[in-house]
């Protein structure tokens, strides 16, 4: 059977989180770099599809390709790790400091990967900076401004809104990472993880790594956004919201739901696998070679 039951998935979540926390700095940086760039590729593909069809849901249907590539290659996506590594800490499979180190180095890798793709993609759509007529130029500028000064114009309500949208986003993104563990086949993994990612992107929620590409790319192309606008009104609150959504609603939610069942299930398996041993004080041992001895 391809399907993996939730109790087993929970065990895989803890094991995966521990493995992520044990990576070297160079592994975290490179895997984070690649994941950031791949997600940026998927973002521009989704934006292009939306522009060509005038249907946002078409872009949402396409966007999960990037997430699928990242998960199948075992790269590091910090937003997915928000639901996994905290469980490994909870189960004492790793330490809190290792968790923070993973988050920090992977985020740095994401920023570098997104920046490299933003520069290369910007040069592509502007024909090496000579033509600003490509429709994606305005798409990225508008997205960058909407995601920053759009919230700033609302004041505290804007800050609350961006955090809520980030929580909702990563509730689904972390479910995507977990759903990949529900199947043992590549096809099953792809289909399972596609569903939650489609849900988040199709509703315009806020994803920290996507924004590490979209906002700087828009700034490079001329968006009226400053570094403080980017970090204060989007990047930092989105990271906080993504963390809360991943830890609370996916990580702890599944942990509370299936931890006891997983424990009781493993005990039952031990009992079933243990043969009954007769009391030799009451029963004489079988003669050698008869096959009746235990």
């Amino acid at each position: 059977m391809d399907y993996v039951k939730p109790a087993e998935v929970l065990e895989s979540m803890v094991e995966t989180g521990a493995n992520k926390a044990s990576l070297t700095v160079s592994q975290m940086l490179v895997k984070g770099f690649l994941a950031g760039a791949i997600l940026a590729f998927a973002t521009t593909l989704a934006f292009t599809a939306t522009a060509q069809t005038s249907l946002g849901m078409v872009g949402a249907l396409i966007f999960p390709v990037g997430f699928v590539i990242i998960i199948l290659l075992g790269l590091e996506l910090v937003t997915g790790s928000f639901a996994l590594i905290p469980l490994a800490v909870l189960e004492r499979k790793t330490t809190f400091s290792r968790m923070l180190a993973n988050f920090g180095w992977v985020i740095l890798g994401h920023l570098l990967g997104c920046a490299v793709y933003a520069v290369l993609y910007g040069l592509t759509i502007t024909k090496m900076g000579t033509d600003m007529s490509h429709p994606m130029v305005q798409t990225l500028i508008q997205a960058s401004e909407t995601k920053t000064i759009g919230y700033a114009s609302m004041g505290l309500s804007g800050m609350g809104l961006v955090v809520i949208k980030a929580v909702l986003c990563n509730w689904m993104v972390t479910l995507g990472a977990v759903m990949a563990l529900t199947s043992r086949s590549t096809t099953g993994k792809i289909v399972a993880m596609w569903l939650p990612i489609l849900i988040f992107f199709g509703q315009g929620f806020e994803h920290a790594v996507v924004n590490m590409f979209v906002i700087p790319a828009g700034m490079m192309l001329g968006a009226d956004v400053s570094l403080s606008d980017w970090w204060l009104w989007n990047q930092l609150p989105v990271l906080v919201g993504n963390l809360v959504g991943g830890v609370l609603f996916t990580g702890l939610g599944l942990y509370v739901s299936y931890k006891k069942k997983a424990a009781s299930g493993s005990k039952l398996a031990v009992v079933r696998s243990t043969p009954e041993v007769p009391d030799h004080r009451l029963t004489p041992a079988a003669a050698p070679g008869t096959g009746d001895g235990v």
Side-chain angles (χ1 to χ4, degrees):
M1 292 290 289
D2 287 340
Y3 176 63
V4 180
K5 295 181 178 180
E8 297 175 72
V9 169
L10 179 60
E11 294 176 2
S12 296
M13 290 171 67
V14 174
E15 181 181 353
T16 302
N19 290 338
K20 287 177 176 293
S22 67
L23 295 174
T24 64
V25 171
S26 60
Q27 287 176 318
M28 289 185 280
L29 275 174
V30 174
K31 287 188 171 189
F33 176 95
L34 294 174
I38 290 168
L39 208 62
F41 268 100
T43 301
T44 54
L45 177 64
F47 283 180
T48 300
T50 298
Q52 291 175 346
T53 63
S54 298
L55 295 171
M57 197 54 66
V58 174
L61 283 167
I62 293 173
F63 175 76
V65 297
F67 188 83
V68 166
I69 294 170
I70 290 168
I71 296 297
L72 292 183
L73 288 179
L75 302 178
E76 285 297 297
L77 188 65
V78 72
T79 47
S81 297
F82 283 164
L84 304 176
I85 303 181
L87 293 189
V89 174
L90 192 61
E91 286 287 289
R92 298 183 180 179
K93 301 291 185 180
T94 190
T95 63
F96 188 77
S97 60
R98 282 182 176 271
M99 178 184 74
L100 293 181
N102 177 277
F103 292 167
W105 288 115
V106 172
I107 287 172
L108 178 58
H110 290 336
L111 288 167
L112 294 173
C114 289
V116 168
Y117 182 73
V119 170
L120 297 179
Y121 185 75
L123 291 172
T124 300
I125 60 176
T126 62
K127 297 179 182 179
M128 302 300 288
T130 63
D131 183 0
M132 301 295 286
S133 64
H134 195 289
M136 283 301 295
V137 172
Q138 285 304 312
T139 296
L140 288 169
I141 289 175
Q142 290 173 7
S144 181
E145 292 178 348
T146 299
K147 287 175 173 290
T148 53
I149 58 179
Y151 292 122
S153 66
M154 297 174 62
L156 289 178
S157 295
M159 185 65 71
L161 176 60
V162 71
V163 171
I164 290 171
K165 291 174 74 173
V167 169
L168 294 175
C169 167
N170 217 39
W171 190 348
M172 291 296 101
V173 172
T174 48
L175 273 183
V178 171
M179 289 291 282
L181 303 173
T182 64
S183 175
R184 293 186 175 90
S185 72
T186 301
T187 302
K189 288 178 180 292
I190 292 172
V191 173
M193 71 177 92
W194 203 283
L195 304 176
I197 306 306
L198 164 63
I199 292 172
F200 114 72
F201 199 86
Q203 298 184 82
F205 296 146
E206 294 287 346
H207 188 267
V209 184
V210 169
N211 294 344
M212 289 177 192
F213 161 72
V214 172
I215 298 174
M219 293 166 66
M220 292 177 191
L221 294 169
D224 185 21
V225 176
S226 66
L227 281 174
S228 60
D229 291 330
W230 170 22
W231 283 93
L232 177 61
W233 289 101
N234 188 284
Q235 203 63 68
L236 289 175
V238 170
L239 279 168
V240 171
N242 285 171
L243 178 62
V244 171
V247 172
L248 184 62
F249 293 111
T250 297
L252 291 180
L254 294 177
Y255 186 84
V256 172
S257 296
Y258 294 104
K259 176 58 181 173
K260 290 184 178 180
K261 180 181 287 189
S264 61
S266 61
K267 290 178 181 178
L268 182 60
V270 170
V271 171
R272 286 179 175 174
S273 63
T274 304
E276 292 186 9
V277 180
D279 190 340
H280 293 293
R281 292 174 300 174
L282 303 177
T283 307
T290 63
D292 296 328
V294 177

